[in-house]
């Protein structure tokens, strides 16, 4: 016990130092946000509605301080690194909404950029909640980070609760199949899950189809080693040659284009047969695919 | 207070635990209370009858045979991770089955069983707030909890089979206070070990609020299964901060090995699978308790967390 107490007092000392550093860093980041992202960033942040408890977090573990940092990093990627073009921002309704997007790019930067777009380019600014894979909860730091910036475990109960709170919920019905696509399958939607449609009908939520163009080229994957993925308990194990190059670990600075479609409303029985659901899902999927095709055709260049 | 009215007594099992004593203190002024516990009850209020019997013994039946029993409050669940599995099972399951038999035979109109939200178990894929319909998976990784699940299931079976008895099953979240349970003992450590990179949201409830929930459950007409949550949820780190404790973050794999080793050397009272409670979320939705049981906790989160230092505050 005495040993433990000694470690404790050491930890306290280290913590005080860390807090000092953090204080300086926070100040610096605040200044940096002002210059780089415009004063607008902090003003928009103040306008995002959050339901916090007396402990300063929301029931899902969202911490505004952490969220500010996450939004600032996403905003930096959005404005400076990927220089995202946003189309159809006016299509986002003010109440509960289910954003259904294509998934691409090996790591979920598309999610962060859609979140940044809803925060920076949509009026009033919205905070996007996304659903994360269950296995991310078993990873240290990642699980904590996701919770603090408002990402929740992807189970239907959580989604329903968030929509009932009137939140903007982002889902990728392709899941891991979509994000780990190899380069030859870029911008071809893979199989869609049906869960989001049942959810939308049950909670009477409008669906906004979202097409993200630019993600597929950030990491070029030439293959997927399924046996290795299974061994490591990961959803996929992509082969990305650029990772071997110096600096190639960063995603390529492609230009992202995000298209928000018009809200779609579906009705019916949420517990209907899969066949009935598939028809409705097909409507959304083909809408996103045609938005994608148009986006890819319209762009003049991958990088600008 | 207007719990189950009329003559007759309330039987409280496991009465000598800290929670049991609090329940008795609340009930004994207005009701005849019979406490059942094999442990001694030194500072017992004078008007409380203490039957120092083992709930597995036939003698328990005499308690029912002699006075008219209008309610049974079952708190006597043994949760001693050091006890052998068979002893545990004997006591918890066989003992409780006996108790149920008497409740049925003597037509006791009310049965309140204190289960726990731990029956759901902390899992990576848990919904943020589990409802009463969620499967009881607590035993998947932590076999010692299986007894508790079995008790909960037995009570559920009884609820359906014997509608003449109003059965109430309470599943409170981590109870904090002077009680000697794992979460309170954990937060009482001078330096609290945490798992590096994990800081789950937790729910805690003050022991006095649990007593309040039991009182609500005793009201006539209340029946069913209820999750009992405390004030708003908070991250584990905030709870530790309220207490002003130092923490030592330990990587999970190392922590598991350490705790397992310390456990076998009897240096800790925490079995290794309990580490999941400071790793994953296990929180409940208490909407049903607020609506049907009309119970909501009275104590603030600060007061609830500070209650583990009971004597100092």
């Amino acid at each position: 016990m005495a040993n433990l107490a000694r470690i404790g007092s050491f930890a306290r000392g280290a913590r005080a130092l860390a807090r000092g550093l953090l204080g300086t860093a926070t100040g610096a980041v605040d200044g940096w946000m002002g210059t780089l992202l415009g004063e607008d960033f902090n003003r928009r942040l103040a306008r995002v509605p959050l339901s916090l408890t007396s402990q300063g977090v929301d029931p899902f573990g969202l911490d505004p301080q952490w969220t500010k940092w996450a939004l600032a990093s996403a905003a930096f990627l959005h404005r400076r690194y990927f220089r995202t073009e946003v189309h159809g921002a006016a299509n986002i309704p003010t109440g509960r909404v289910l954003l259904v997007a294509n998934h691409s790019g090996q790591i979920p930067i598309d999610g962060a950029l859609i979140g940044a777009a809803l925060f920076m380019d949509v009026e009033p600014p919205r905070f996007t909640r996304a659903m994360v894979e269950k296995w991310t909860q078993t990873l240290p730091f990642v699980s904590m980070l996701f919770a603090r910036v408002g990402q929740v475990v992807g189970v239907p109960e959580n989604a329903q609760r968030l929509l009932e709170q009137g939140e903007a919920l982002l889902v990728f019905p392709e899941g891991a199949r979509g994000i780990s696509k190899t380069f030859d399958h870029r911008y071809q939607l893979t199989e869609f899950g049906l869960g989001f449609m049942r959810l939308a009908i049950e909670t009477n939520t409008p669906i906004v189809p979202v097409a993200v163009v630019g993600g597929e080229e950030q990491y070029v994957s030439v293959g997927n080693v399924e046996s290795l993925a299974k061994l490591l308990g990961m959803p996929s194990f992509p082969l990305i040659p650029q990772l071997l190059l110096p600096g190639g670990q960063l995603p390529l600075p492609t230009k992202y284009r995000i298209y928000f479609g018009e809200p779609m409303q579906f009705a019916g029985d949420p517990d209907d047969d899969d066949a009935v659901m598939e028809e409705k899902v097909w409507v959304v999927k083909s809408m996103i695919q045609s938005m994608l095709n148009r986006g890819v055709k319209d762009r003049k260049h991958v990088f600008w | 207070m207007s719990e189950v009215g009329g003559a007759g007594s309330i039987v409280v099992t496991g009465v000598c635990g800290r929670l049991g004593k609090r329940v008795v203190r609340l009930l004994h002024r207005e009701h005849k209370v019979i406490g059942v516990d094999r442990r001694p009850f030194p500072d017992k209020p004078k008007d409380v009858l203490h039957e120092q019997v083992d709930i597995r013994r036939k003698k328990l039946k005499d308690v029912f045979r002699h006075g008219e029993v209008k309610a049974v409050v079952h708190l006597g669940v043994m949760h001693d991770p050091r006890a052998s599995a068979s002893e545990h099972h004997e006591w918890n399951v066989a003992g409780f089955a006996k108790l149920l038999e008497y409740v049925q035979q003597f037509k006791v109109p009310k049965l309140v069983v204190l289960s726990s939200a731990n029956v759901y178990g902390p899992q990576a894929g848990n919904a943020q707030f589990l409802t009463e319909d969620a499967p009881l998976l607590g035993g998947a990784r932590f076999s010692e909890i299986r007894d508790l699940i079995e008790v909960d299931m037995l009570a559920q079976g009884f609820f359906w089979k014997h509608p003449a008895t109003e059965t109430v099953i309470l599943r409170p979240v981590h109870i904090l206070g002077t009680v000697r349970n794992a979460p309170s003992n954990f937060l009482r450590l001078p330096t609290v070990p945490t798992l590096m990179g994990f800081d789950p949201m937790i729910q805690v409830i003050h022991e006095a609020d649990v007593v309040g929930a039991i009182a609500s459950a005793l009201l006539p007409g209340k029946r069913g299964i209820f999750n009992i949550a405390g004030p708003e949820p908070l991250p584990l780190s905030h709870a530790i901060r309220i207490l002003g404790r130092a923490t030592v973050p330990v990587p999970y794999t190392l922590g598991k090995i350490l705790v397992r080793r310390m456990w076998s050397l009897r240096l800790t009272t925490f079995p290794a699978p309990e580490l999941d409670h400071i790793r994953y979320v296990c929180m409940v939705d208490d909407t049903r308790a607020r609506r049907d049981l009309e119970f909501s906790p009275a104590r603030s989160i600060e007061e609830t967390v500070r209650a583990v230092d009971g004597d100092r505050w």
Side-chain angles (χ1 to χ4, degrees):
Chain A
M1 263 319 144
N3 260 334
L4 215 55
R6 207 170 309 139
I7 298 170
S9 73
F10 171 73
R12 243 185 310 238
R15 184 112 29 88
L17 185 71
R19 206 169 299 144
L21 282 175
L22 189 70
T24 323
T26 317
V29 165
D30 274 344
W32 171 80
M33 278 178 198
T35 50
L36 209 62
L37 303 167
E39 271 312 317
D40 201 33
F41 181 86
N42 287 321
R43 241 178 296 132
R44 290 188 85 84
L45 193 65
R47 281 167 55 209
V48 175
L50 294 171
S51 53
L52 303 180
T53 67
S54 71
Q55 286 295 305
V57 291
D58 97 332
F60 284 90
L62 179 148
D63 185 320
Q65 210 54 44
W66 286 65
T67 304
K68 183 177 176 175
W69 283 63
L71 275 176
S73 339
F76 171 75
L77 291 176
H78 182 63
R79 283 274 192 270
R80 303 279 153 155
Y81 195 84
F82 294 110
R83 300 144 287 131
T84 315
E85 247 173 47
V86 177
H87 302 269
N91 286 333
I92 308 285
T94 48
R96 67 169 78 154
V97 57
L98 198 57
L99 301 158
V100 178
N102 62 311
H103 212 7
S104 58
Q106 312 307 329
I107 58 170
I109 290 177
D110 46 0
L113 294 185
I114 294 171
L118 256 78
F119 175 70
M120 308 278 288
D121 303 308
V122 170
E123 201 50 49
R126 297 290 298 266
F127 183 70
T128 316
R129 315 291 295 240
M131 316 285 286
V132 297
E133 281 268 356
K134 283 175 199 168
W135 74 277
T136 59
Q137 296 302 299
T138 64
L139 307 173
F141 301 106
V142 174
S143 64
M144 185 166 81
L145 174 76
F146 279 170
R148 292 295 166 273
V149 302
Q151 311 306 297
V152 302
V153 181
V155 292
E157 292 92 332
N158 284 350
Q160 203 162 341
R161 188 174 287 267
L162 286 170
L163 289 178
E164 275 159 14
Q165 277 181 34
E167 308 257 5
L169 184 63
L170 170 63
V171 293
F172 297 106
E174 293 175 275
R177 287 186 300 272
I179 194 167
S180 57
K181 266 183 273 212
T182 48
F183 195 65
D184 52 328
H185 289 107
R186 61 187 184 277
Y187 302 119
Q188 295 165 22
L189 293 178
T190 60
E191 196 189 320
F192 266 40
L194 306 179
F196 79 92
M197 184 55 73
R198 296 191 194 279
L199 186 70
I201 293 174
E202 200 168 348
T203 56
N204 189 26
T205 305
I207 290 176
V208 169
V210 185
V212 182
V213 177
E216 300 278 22
E217 291 87 3
Q218 68 185 11
Y219 285 113
V220 175
S221 162
V222 295
N224 184 11
V225 192
E226 263 166 47
S227 52
L228 203 54
K230 209 169 276 174
L231 194 71
L232 296 172
M234 287 162 49
S236 67
F237 193 91
L239 290 179
I240 306 168
Q242 77 190 68
L243 294 183
L244 300 172
L245 300 173
Q249 293 75 26
L250 285 177
L252 299 176
T254 54
K255 189 174 176 69
Y256 265 71
R257 291 160 175 89
I258 299 177
Y259 298 86
F260 293 110
E262 278 177 27
M264 307 163 94
Q265 194 86 40
F266 292 88
D269 177 8
D271 290 321
D272 227 330
D273 281 347
D274 277 3
V276 182
M277 283 297 146
E278 266 162 23
E279 273 174 42
K280 292 178 171 142
V281 167
W282 184 83
V283 177
V284 179
K285 186 177 168 181
S286 46
M287 173 58 93
I288 297 172
Q289 185 69 65
S290 73
M291 284 160 68
L292 272 177
N293 295 348
R294 212 176 319 137
V296 173
K297 216 176 98 202
D298 284 356
R299 72 174 168 179
K300 301 278 179 288
H301 198 282
V302 174
F303 291 100
W304 54 80
Chain B
M1 189 105 5
S2 57
E3 292 96 8
V4 278
S9 47
I10 300 179
V11 171
V12 182
T13 68
V15 76
C16 301
R18 287 176 195 245
L19 197 63
K21 285 178 186 165
R22 269 184 175 267
V23 171
V24 166
R25 237 178 287 150
L26 177 82
L27 296 177
H28 79 99
R29 293 193 197 286
E30 297 181 34
H31 307 274
K32 229 175 98 194
V33 176
I34 305 175
V36 178
D37 202 316
R38 59 175 172 178
R39 294 170 289 187
F41 195 165
D43 49 351
K44 160 180 88 75
K46 283 197 179 57
D47 51 352
V48 173
L49 201 65
H50 177 213
E51 293 285 351
Q52 199 168 349
V53 298
D54 188 319
I55 63 165
R56 292 169 295 182
R57 299 275 165 264
K58 260 267 154 40
K59 234 185 124 194
L60 179 64
K61 200 169 180 178
D62 295 342
V63 175
F64 287 86
R65 207 177 277 137
H66 291 148
E68 190 200 331
V69 176
K70 60 179 177 182
V72 172
V73 179
H74 182 57
L75 309 174
V77 175
M78 177 163 72
H79 185 60
D80 173 9
R82 289 274 177 213
S84 77
S86 66
E87 165 82 0
H88 233 227
H89 188 266
E90 263 283 290
W91 176 273
N92 286 335
V93 181
F96 182 56
K98 270 262 147 35
L99 189 70
L100 287 181
E101 203 181 300
Y102 303 145
V103 168
Q104 183 208 346
Q105 192 178 344
F106 294 94
K107 299 190 172 56
V108 178
K110 175 72 96 179
L111 169 68
V112 178
V113 180
L114 190 71
S115 179
S116 160
N118 288 347
V119 293
Y120 301 115
Q123 322 263 345
N126 268 352
Q128 193 77 358
F129 296 95
L130 299 159
T131 59
E132 285 84 353
D133 307 324
L136 310 186
L137 301 176
R141 286 160 70 111
F142 187 24
S143 56
E144 279 82 353
I145 212 91
R146 277 178 210 155
D147 283 2
L148 205 60
I149 295 173
E150 216 164 317
V151 166
D152 193 294
M153 299 279 214
L154 275 176
Q156 284 183 51
F158 190 83
F159 170 82
W160 291 112
K161 271 185 268 173
H162 303 286
T165 300
E166 288 176 358
T167 304
V168 182
I169 303 169
L170 300 177
R171 292 182 185 154
V173 295
H174 299 309
I175 302 172
L176 296 187
T178 55
V179 287
R180 302 250 170 254
N181 59 3
S184 299
N185 289 343
F186 175 71
L187 288 174
R188 266 194 288 264
L189 293 173
T191 298
V192 184
T194 57
L195 293 177
M196 195 181 279
F198 290 100
D199 187 14
M201 295 291 286
I202 56 167
Q203 281 172 323
V204 293
I205 187 167
H206 194 285
E207 52 187 352
D209 279 327
V210 177
V211 175
I214 293 171
S216 310
L218 281 169
L219 293 171
K222 306 292 182 197
R223 56 166 75 221
I225 307 168
F226 299 99
N227 288 332
I228 304 292
E232 65 264 25
L234 79 172
L236 175 64
S237 60
H238 285 217
I240 298 171
R241 200 184 305 154
I242 289 173
L243 291 166
R245 299 272 205 277
T247 58
V248 184
V250 184
Y252 174 69
T253 344
L254 180 66
K256 201 168 68 178
I257 295 167
L258 275 179
V259 172
R260 205 174 277 159
R261 179 55 57 87
M262 283 167 76
W263 170 260
S264 62
L265 293 173
R266 298 188 167 258
L267 290 174
T268 177
T269 53
F270 301 103
E274 281 194 355
L275 283 177
D276 278 353
H277 279 288
I278 55 173
R279 192 172 182 216
Y280 299 134
V281 174
C282 180
M283 299 206 292
V284 297
D285 180 345
D286 67 340
T287 315
R288 199 192 283 179
R290 284 173 190 269
R291 189 190 58 214
D292 297 346
L293 208 55
E294 289 161 69
F295 166 78
S296 51
R299 275 131 196 104
S300 72
I301 186 68
E302 301 253 329
E303 195 183 343
T304 303
V305 173
R306 290 220 165 99
V308 298
D309 289 337
D311 301 325
R312 274 186 272 161
W313 292 91

